[in-house]
Amino acid sequence: TEVIIMGPDLPMGFSMALAQNEAAMKQFESLSEAEKQAVIQRTHSVTSKQEMRRLVASLCDQGGARA
């Protein structure tokens, strides 16, 4: 079953990009709350869908909030 992460603190574009990248979604879910907040803060400077996809992909490539 696919889990869609949605909530008031999660930008829609970020949650949509996560939904399209299962590995990144699992990585995000495994982060601590502080690490999740750090990733969410990074989404606020994203200006395009492509950039958001890169940010989401970096969760897998670099191991989470430290990407």
Side-chain angles (χ1 to χ4, degrees):
T1 60
E2 185 175 334
V3 176
I4 303 296
I5 304 168
M6 293 290 261
D9 296 331
L10 207 59
M12 184 177 287
F14 179 62
S15 60
M16 291 176 72
L18 273 181
Q20 296 173 4
N21 187 330
E22 186 176 349
M25 183 184 300
K26 289 181 180 182
Q27 177 64 31
F28 184 77
E29 289 172 345
S30 74
L31 298 176
S32 70
E33 286 304 312
E35 290 171 324
K36 288 178 184 176
Q37 288 302 316
V39 172
I40 291 168
Q41 283 298 318
R42 290 173 52 206
T43 69
H44 296 300
S45 63
V46 170
T47 59
S48 70
K49 288 182 183 180
Q50 184 178 11
E51 189 177 351
M52 186 65 78
R53 287 187 199 113
R54 282 196 301 267
L55 187 151
V56 167
S58 76
L59 293 173
C60 296
D61 297 341
Q62 304 295 326
R66 294 163 293 282

